[in-house]
């Protein structure tokens, strides 16, 4: 694939020209859609370069400069315009066919509505343009379309004009966005929707009109998204002092969308998955997801839109910061501990894997072939951890002072991650020189802790050593905020503080201790590192009972269960019998019976680490032994606590609260692992369920224990929900995760089901994405059939939707931990992809990086 060019951060240069004003005239007319772009162009500095505009997948109509034909040429997706003028008006006419656009980037059709997705480089599929984030312009957009089919015509900013064209049955509107913005924040939607209206009065007393647009017939499912929006607006005022700036905020939910949502100025476009909800069809997790994504996109209005990125290498400037903000929002309005646990899981199970694989990159990547490949757990979630560490080091007050300084300096600008850290440093007076290395260093640091207690002196010595190796290269020492609690034998907290680790190895001494303490290390995952410490069972049990932090109690339980599973893997490998220590069982029982614990937290603690989470803890894995040992430990724990689980299940069933449901459903799953006698409980819960959480809880229990009632439940579910695509996605996922040898055959059949379509990313992710990423044993079948099936699908999607293909390839490129035979099979598939004549840039980048490992 010849045009795949790698771009480097070090080559950044200011644009030779800038565009200050853009007038778009968009005539929506199916295959004959026409976009006329009139830009005010200004030469940046003194030079004689041509003006170079980007354009992809569009036909060029005409190019005029100050009203006359321009001197131009086209080459390789670029338009070169020669002029000596320093300021001029440029008119470019582009012709496009949104109906033929299956990549869902640029202007495309989603179920009869026109919509756009421009981030990162989709605007160039709408018109030739300076499509880079450091060109900020004021947009005025006229949209014209058939009125009956497209009664709503939306774009960014405020509506300034509208009118009818009665003879043709068409109408038009004009929108004006007073805030200069990069092209990636442009949006347009045209369609027929149901509309939920509301309003919000800002802290300074301005009234903002709020609108949520959903597909016809779904109005009753828009309330939670609207409530989440208002909650987000209020929270950003209270916690960050940030107020909304336009008179209107619109959210449009569309069925066909590559990601979760998009923060276009004043006109967010959302995947329906993150908007539509009612009790019957959405789970508690879905509700939580909607609140968090609505918040995330809203928070971008300041962190991303008002202050944006200079170039795409700086993506974490807006994404890391906005994820941090949405996590804080969820934690302030919900359970801080449970939200933190979920974020830690993403880091340990997904980000660590990415950082150990061929796509490892720093949160500020240094080179990129396809930008869409860098909307990653590293840029987003590790990026948020880096912001969180600054928050830990500076404290809330220092951090907020840094934010204030950042907006004072950079409102209306396109800036870098360094600019952000400078604001934090200058406003707080904390030296962040060493800390900045987090931005340029890839890989997960390993922090090894050793300790000793000196009884004579009453001293406790704790030595913390750090090392990071990325792609065989040793990295630099980092500034690591290391949160520590020391507990005495009675479980009392003696010390609770954050240590500043800034050297390769550092020893901290604590005196005045009358006995050896138990240490809760790296509390709340205070830095995105791997912790190595030789915990004993007694220490972990002590931490599970007494650590002040609920997150630390969960961490201890994960460690305890994981150690138990690894112990049994070793037993199996040495042909010894498997066992579970009675202290582990008692600790588990203690959690089930502790009525003072938050039920949602108990559910987290009782969730036994998944196979893929366990694989993340080691360098190489014996998959068959892991499967057996994990199953054994689950069964031992569950059968030892069967009575308690059943009693708690019954008690919790009477409560109507998300935490109770989470606990109850985990209990049910565990019970089903013990014995089929609980099958009747599953059926009862399924048929009596008053909400989707309970319905799905029963189905999940039936699926993982492969109960005989499963086919009947699945078929009942299908008959109830066959016309609700988002609910059918759950049905597809359940079947994709069944651990039986014929699952691939079943999946192939399901791709022919009416509810499935290869053109809709939600369907593809629910069925095939779920199989590849979460059906660990079947995807990694020893005969390679899982790999080959995914490869066939990727070959298909490579043409129609390269972004979705590229996201789904992840489990195939993370092969390093598997045995040679599996690695060979995975690499054969990657080689097959590499040989494709029309391999997209997206897959090309991942496949070549993987095969070069
Ligand atoms: N900024 C968008 C993601 C765009 C992805 C482009 N492939 C959603 C978000 O992070 O809020
Ligand atoms: Zn974002």
């Amino acid at each position: 694939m010849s045009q795949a060019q790698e771009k480097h951060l070090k080559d950044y240069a200011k644009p030779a020209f800038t565009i200050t004003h853009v007038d778009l005239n968009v005539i929506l007319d199916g295959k004959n859609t026409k976009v006329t772009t009139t830009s005010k162009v200004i030469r940046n500095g003194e030079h004689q370069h041509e003006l170079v505009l980007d354009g992809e997948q569009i036909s060029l109509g005409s190019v005029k400069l100050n009203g006359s034909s321009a001197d131009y040429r086209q080459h390789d997706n670029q338009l070169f315009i020669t002029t000596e003028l320093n300021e001029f008006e440029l008119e470019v006419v582009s012709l496009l066919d949104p109906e033929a656009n299956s990549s869902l980037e640029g202007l495309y059709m989603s179920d009869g509505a026109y919509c756009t997705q421009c981030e990162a480089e989709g605007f160039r599929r709408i018109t030739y343009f300076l499509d880079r984030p450091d060109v900020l312009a004021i947009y005025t957009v006229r949209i014209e379309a058939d009125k009956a089919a497209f009664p709503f015509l939306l774009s960014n900013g405020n509506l300034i004009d509208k009118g009818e064209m009665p003879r043709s049955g068409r109408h038009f509107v004009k929108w004006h966005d007073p805030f200069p913005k990069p092209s990636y924040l442009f949006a347009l939607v045209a369609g027929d929707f149901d509309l939920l209206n509301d309003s919000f009065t800002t802290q300074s007393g301005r009234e903002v009109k709020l609108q949520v647009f959903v597909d016809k017939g779904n109005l009753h499912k828009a309330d939670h998204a609207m409530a989440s929006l208002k909650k987000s607006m209020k929270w950003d005022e209270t916690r960050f002092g940030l107020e909304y700036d336009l008179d209107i905020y619109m959210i449009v939910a569309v069925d066909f969308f590559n990601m979760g949502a998009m923060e276009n100025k004043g006109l967010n476009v959302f995947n329906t998955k993150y908007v539509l909800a009612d009790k019957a069809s959405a789970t508690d997790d879905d509700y939580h997801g909607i609140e968090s994504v609505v918040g995330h996109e809203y928070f971008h209005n300041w962190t991303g839109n008002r202050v944006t990125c200079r170039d795409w290498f700086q993506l974490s400037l807006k994404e890391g910061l906005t994820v941090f903000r949405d996590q804080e929002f969820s934690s302030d309005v919900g359970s801080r501990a449970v939200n933190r646990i979920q974020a830690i899981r993403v880091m340990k199970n997904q980000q660590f894997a990415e950082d150990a694989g061929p796509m490892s990159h720093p949160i500020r990547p240094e080179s990129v072939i396809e930008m869409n490949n860098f909307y990653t757990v590293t840029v987003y979630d590790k990026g948020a951890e880096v912001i969180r560490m600054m928050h830990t080091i500076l404290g809330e007050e220092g951090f907020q002072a840094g934010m204030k300084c950042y907006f004072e300096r950079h409102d209306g600008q396109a800036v870098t991650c360094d600019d952000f850290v400078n604001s934090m440093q200058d406003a707080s007076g904390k030296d962040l020189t060493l800390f900045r290395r987090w931005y340029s260093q890839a890989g997960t640091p390993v922090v090894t802790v050793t300790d000793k207690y000196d009884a004579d002196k009453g001293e406790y010595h704790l030595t913390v050593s750090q090392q990071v190796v990325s792609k065989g290269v040793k990295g630099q020492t980092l500034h690591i905020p290391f949160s520590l609690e020391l507990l005495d034998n009675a479980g009392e907290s003696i010390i609770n503080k954050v240590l500043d680790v800034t050297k390769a190895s550092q020893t901290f001494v604590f005196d005045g201790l009358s006995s050896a303490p138990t240490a809760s290390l790296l509390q709340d995952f205070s830095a995105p590192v791997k912790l190595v410490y030789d915990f004993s069972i007694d220490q972990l049990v002590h931490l599970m009972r007494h650590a002040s932090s609920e997150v630390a109690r969960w961490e201890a339980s994960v460690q305890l269960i994981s150690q138990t599973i690894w112990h049994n893997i070793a037993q199996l490998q040495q042909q010894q019998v498997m066992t579970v220590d009675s202290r582990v069982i008692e600790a588990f029982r203690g959690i089930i019976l502790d009525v003072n614990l938050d039920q949602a937290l108990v559910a987290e603690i009782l969730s036994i680490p998944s196979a893929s989470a366990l694989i993340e803890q080691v360098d190489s894995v014996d998959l068959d032994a892991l499967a057996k040992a994990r199953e054994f430990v689950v069964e031992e724990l569950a059968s030892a606590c069967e009575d308690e689980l059943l009693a708690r299940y019954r008690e919790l069933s009477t409560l109507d609260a998300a935490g109770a449901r989470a606990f109850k459903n985990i209990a049910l799953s565990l019970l089903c692992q013990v014995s089929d006698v609980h099958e009747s409980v599953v059926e009862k819960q399924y048929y009596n369920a008053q909400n989707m959480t309970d319905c799905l809880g029963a189905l999940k229990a039936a699926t993982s224990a492969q109960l005989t009632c499963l086919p009947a439940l699945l078929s009942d579910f299908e008959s109830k929900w066959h016309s609700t695509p988002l609910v059918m996605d759950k049905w597809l996922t359940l079947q994709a995760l069944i651990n039986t040898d014929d699952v691939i055959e079943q999946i192939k059949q399901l791709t022919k089901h009416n509810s499935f379509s290869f053109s809709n990313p939600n369907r593809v992710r629910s069925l095939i994405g779920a199989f590849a990423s979460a059906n660990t044993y079947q995807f990694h079948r020893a005969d390679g059939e899982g790999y080959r099936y995914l490869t066939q699908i990727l070959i298909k999607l490579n043409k129609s939707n390269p972004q979705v293909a590229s996201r789904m390839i992840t489990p195939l490129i993370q092969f390093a931990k598997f045995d040679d035979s599996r690695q060979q099979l995975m690499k054969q598939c990657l080689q097959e992809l590499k040989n494709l004549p029309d391999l997209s840039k997206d897959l090309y980048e991942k496949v070549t990086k993987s095969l070069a490992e």
Side-chain angles (χ1 to χ4, degrees):
M1 126 131 245
S2 61
Q3 86 253 43
Q5 266 186 6
E6 190 152 41
K7 287 191 189 151
H8 296 269
L9 166 60
K10 63 174 168 34
D11 296 336
Y12 173 83
K14 281 207 171 109
F17 292 83
T18 195
I19 294 174
T20 56
H21 291 81
V22 186
D23 263 27
L24 286 175
N25 187 14
V26 184
I27 314 285
L28 296 172
D29 192 10
K31 295 184 187 321
N32 302 313
T33 290
K34 181 171 147 187
V35 179
T36 306
T37 310
T38 311
S39 308
K40 185 175 172 193
V41 188
I42 298 177
R43 190 181 299 271
N44 252 346
E46 283 193 19
H47 62 79
Q48 296 304 313
H49 301 309
E50 295 166 298
L51 167 64
V52 187
L53 304 181
D54 306 299
E56 272 174 34
Q57 317 267 329
I58 41 182
S59 352
L60 184 61
S62 60
V63 187
K64 283 186 188 158
L65 200 149
N66 285 344
S68 314
S69 307
D71 175 4
Y72 73 89
R73 65 191 167 92
Q74 271 176 284
H75 179 70
D76 241 7
N77 288 333
Q78 286 184 316
L79 177 62
F80 297 78
I81 298 159
T82 310
T83 176
E84 285 175 1
L85 298 174
N86 290 333
E87 259 192 61
F88 51 93
E89 188 184 275
L90 184 75
E91 185 203 271
V92 179
V93 175
S94 318
L95 305 164
L96 20 152
D97 180 1
E99 290 168 5
N101 181 356
S102 63
S103 69
L104 314 188
E105 205 184 354
L107 177 66
Y108 65 93
M109 305 289 308
S110 170
D111 241 355
Y114 288 93
C115 66
T116 56
Q117 172 56 35
C118 292
E119 188 178 0
E121 296 175 332
F123 194 66
R124 65 187 63 182
R125 289 167 184 242
I126 297 175
T127 181
Y128 280 92
F129 202 71
L130 282 177
D131 191 14
R132 42 187 289 166
D134 56 354
V135 171
L136 306 182
I138 291 179
Y139 283 65
T140 307
V141 181
R142 181 181 178 280
I143 312 169
E144 188 195 302
D146 180 78
K147 187 169 180 183
F150 309 102
F152 292 102
L153 305 176
L154 314 173
S155 191
N156 321 81
N158 301 313
L159 186 71
I160 52 169
D161 195 12
K162 61 177 182 180
E164 309 274 325
M165 300 145 91
R167 274 196 303 182
S168 60
R170 293 173 71 82
H171 68 150
F172 76 90
V173 297
K174 217 175 201 185
W175 292 86
H176 178 76
D177 180 1
F179 292 95
K181 65 168 176 288
S183 49
Y184 83 85
L185 289 174
F186 165 79
L188 173 157
V189 174
D192 193 3
F193 301 99
D194 274 348
L195 168 59
L196 179 64
N197 272 299
D198 209 326
S199 72
F200 178 82
T201 307
T202 68
Q203 61 187 3
S204 71
R206 275 187 322 103
E207 181 156 319
V208 180
K209 189 167 167 177
L210 307 179
Q211 299 190 315
V212 177
F213 295 85
V214 293
D215 274 351
K216 289 257 164 208
N218 282 320
L219 196 58
H220 63 291
K221 293 189 182 174
D223 294 329
H224 180 60
M226 181 63 90
S228 303
L229 176 59
K230 293 199 276 183
K231 223 172 179 177
S232 309
M233 295 176 90
K234 184 88 203 136
W235 179 85
D236 215 10
E237 291 183 346
T238 317
R239 175 89 187 261
F240 278 77
L242 297 170
E243 189 174 321
Y244 187 60
D245 48 11
L246 286 165
D247 300 333
I248 181 167
Y249 193 95
M250 294 172 279
I251 289 178
V252 185
V254 299
D255 266 333
F256 287 71
F257 206 65
N258 280 344
M259 308 96 38
M262 177 65 211
E263 71 264 25
N264 318 298
K265 183 80 188 188
L267 176 57
N268 288 182
V269 177
F270 268 63
N271 187 324
T272 42
K273 180 174 163 57
Y274 291 106
V275 174
L276 302 180
D278 66 6
K279 274 210 158 179
S281 65
T283 62
D284 294 327
D285 287 346
D286 293 330
Y287 273 81
H288 182 260
I290 290 168
E291 184 177 85
S292 129
V293 177
V294 167
H296 180 96
E297 306 311 331
Y298 175 73
F299 304 140
H300 266 314
N301 190 54
W302 277 96
T303 50
N305 302 3
R306 286 289 285 258
V307 183
T308 194
C309 301
R310 185 193 71 174
D311 54 74
W312 288 121
F313 300 101
Q314 317 293 333
L315 180 61
S316 201
L317 171 82
K318 73 175 178 84
E319 295 303 349
L321 179 54
T322 305
V323 171
F324 170 76
R325 276 155 49 69
D326 85 51
Q327 289 176 349
E328 282 302 291
F329 166 60
S330 297
S331 304
D332 283 347
V333 303
S335 159
R336 182 161 285 273
V338 171
N339 278 289
R340 190 65 192 132
I341 288 168
Q342 283 161 359
I344 297 171
R345 272 217 191 94
V346 171
M347 284 301 296
K348 290 192 177 179
N349 302 352
Q350 297 174 43
Q351 199 281 326
F352 284 6
E354 180 165 88
D355 235 348
M359 277 298 287
S360 168
H361 53 276
I363 62 165
R364 182 183 53 211
E366 262 139 38
S367 68
V368 163
I369 293 177
E370 170 52 60
M371 190 52 214
N372 286 323
N373 280 340
F374 288 82
Y375 288 75
T376 58
V377 274
T378 299
V379 166
Y380 275 63
D381 298 88
K382 185 175 180 183
E385 293 301 320
V386 170
I387 302 288
R388 183 171 298 284
M389 285 191 283
M390 277 190 268
H391 186 270
T392 304
I393 294 168
L394 270 53
E396 170 74 2
E397 208 179 310
F399 186 84
Q400 290 298 349
M403 290 299 296
K404 194 160 170 265
C405 171
Y406 176 63
F407 291 122
E408 274 164 14
R409 285 182 186 174
H410 301 299
D411 187 12
Q413 298 174 7
V415 304
T416 63
C417 297
D418 267 330
D419 291 320
F420 180 81
V421 182
N422 288 342
S423 298
M424 286 288 152
Q425 173 163 302
D426 295 348
S428 69
K430 290 257 186 203
D431 182 2
L432 296 172
T433 316
L434 196 59
F435 185 82
R436 276 170 213 264
R437 290 177 178 172
W438 281 104
Y439 281 89
S440 51
Q441 186 138 306
T444 308
V446 176
V447 171
T448 307
V449 176
T450 53
D451 57 352
K452 62 172 193 267
Y453 174 68
D454 184 333
D456 295 341
K457 294 189 186 146
E459 276 179 7
Y460 177 67
H461 295 233
L462 187 88
T463 301
V464 183
S465 313
Q466 54 167 305
Q467 199 188 23
V468 52
V469 178
S470 172
K471 299 200 169 163
V473 182
K474 193 164 175 279
Q476 294 174 301
T477 303
L478 296 162
H479 179 175
I480 297 174
F482 189 90
S483 173
L484 167 82
E485 181 176 48
L486 298 182
L487 299 172
D488 68 13
N489 290 339
E492 290 296 318
S493 178
I494 341 173
I495 280 167
N496 200 345
K497 65 188 291 191
V498 179
L499 309 174
D500 274 311
V501 175
T502 53
K503 302 205 176 88
S505 182
Q506 239 166 309
T507 299
F508 299 87
V509 180
F510 304 90
D511 54 19
L513 305 186
S514 53
S515 62
T518 302
S520 171
L521 305 166
L522 197 74
Q523 290 191 95
D524 297 3
F525 195 64
S526 63
V529 302
K530 271 190 189 155
L531 174 71
V532 178
Y533 176 77
D534 197 9
F535 283 109
S536 69
I537 292 182
D538 287 333
Q539 283 175 321
L540 290 170
V541 169
H542 199 61
L543 291 173
M544 270 177 78
R545 294 216 175 100
H546 303 293
S548 308
S549 152
E550 290 180 325
V551 180
R553 297 172 76 172
W554 166 78
E555 285 269 17
S557 78
V558 171
Q559 182 70 29
L560 189 65
I561 306 287
S562 304
Q563 277 184 205
T564 308
I565 294 172
W566 295 118
H567 164 76
N568 282 304
I569 291 176
Q571 293 288 101
L572 272 177
Q573 288 166 338
Q574 292 153 28
Q575 274 117 44
Q576 303 289 316
V577 286
M578 296 195 280
T579 52
V580 176
D581 192 292
S582 60
R583 290 167 292 176
V584 178
I585 291 172
E586 288 322 309
F588 204 72
R589 195 192 317 278
I591 296 292
I592 298 169
L593 294 176
D594 187 345
V595 288
N596 295 319
L597 281 178
D598 173 18
Q599 287 151 354
L601 178 73
V602 176
E604 298 295 345
I605 297 179
L606 300 187
S607 305
I608 309 294
S610 65
S612 61
L614 289 160
I615 293 171
E616 271 329 300
Q617 300 174 5
V618 289
D619 294 332
S620 68
V621 67
D622 172 347
L623 202 58
D624 302 329
L626 181 133
K628 287 196 189 105
R630 184 181 180 281
E631 195 182 337
F632 171 78
V633 172
V634 172
E635 283 175 12
E636 284 295 293
L637 290 172
S639 63
C641 303
E642 189 176 359
D643 294 345
E644 293 84 351
L645 283 168
L646 196 56
R648 291 292 268 157
Y649 174 85
R650 292 204 174 112
E651 206 179 298
L652 293 161
S653 296
T654 60
L655 306 175
D656 180 18
R661 281 190 287 274
F663 185 169
K664 174 182 77 178
N665 285 314
I666 289 285
L668 184 59
S669 268
L670 288 167
L671 285 168
C672 291
Q673 302 296 325
V674 183
S675 145
D676 286 359
V677 300
H678 302 294
E679 182 156 353
S680 60
V681 183
V682 171
E683 285 175 294
K684 194 167 154 224
Q685 175 169 320
Y686 174 83
Y687 287 110
N688 293 342
Q690 299 297 308
N691 55 67
M692 183 50 76
T693 306
D694 284 345
C695 175
L696 207 63
L699 280 169
K700 278 187 182 160
T703 309
S704 60
Q706 292 171 32
L707 300 180
T708 39
C709 64
L710 180 62
L713 301 192
L714 284 172
S715 129
D716 178 80
F717 192 90
E718 179 190 3
S719 64
K720 270 190 198 133
W721 294 108
H722 61 88
S723 47
T724 312
L726 286 175
V727 181
M728 287 306 278
D729 283 347
K730 302 179 193 302
W731 182 81
L732 293 171
T733 300
L734 282 165
Q735 295 175 83
L737 297 185
I738 297 179
N739 180 16
T740 53
D741 287 344
D742 67 347
V743 68
I744 296 174
E745 249 342 284
Q746 299 297 333
I747 293 173
K748 286 182 185 164
Q749 290 307 317
L750 285 167
T751 59
K752 297 180 192 136
H753 192 276
N754 272 343
S755 292
F756 184 84
S757 154
F758 275 107
S759 63
N760 186 301
N762 288 359
R763 304 300 95 80
V764 175
R765 281 188 288 253
S766 298
L767 185 64
I768 297 148
F771 165 70
S773 66
N775 194 340
T776 308
Y777 305 131
Q778 291 299 328
F779 176 66
H780 290 286
R781 282 164 64 122
D783 64 3
E785 196 47 35
Y787 309 145
R788 284 190 293 274
Y789 180 58
L790 178 64
T791 306
Q792 277 173 29
I793 303 294
L794 295 180
I795 291 173
K796 197 179 175 94
L797 293 170
N798 171 56
K799 283 195 189 161
S800 58
N801 191 330
Q803 269 189 59
V804 168
S806 191
R807 285 201 160 254
M808 289 212 322
I809 201 177
T810 304
L812 196 60
I813 65 174
Q814 295 178 349
F815 46 69
K817 294 184 176 184
F818 294 92
D819 53 73
D820 287 349
S821 149
R822 285 185 170 89
Q823 288 203 24
Q824 281 316 318
L825 290 163
M826 290 163 103
K827 286 182 189 165
Q828 271 166 22
C829 288
L830 292 169
Q831 192 59 50
E832 187 182 342
L833 289 168
K834 191 176 170 199
N835 294 343
L836 287 181
D838 52 358
L839 187 62
S840 62
K841 265 176 36 165
D842 313 57
L843 281 180
Y844 169 84
E845 178 163 42
K846 294 195 177 176
V847 168
T848 50
K849 285 183 178 169
S850 308
L851 289 172
E853 283 281 287

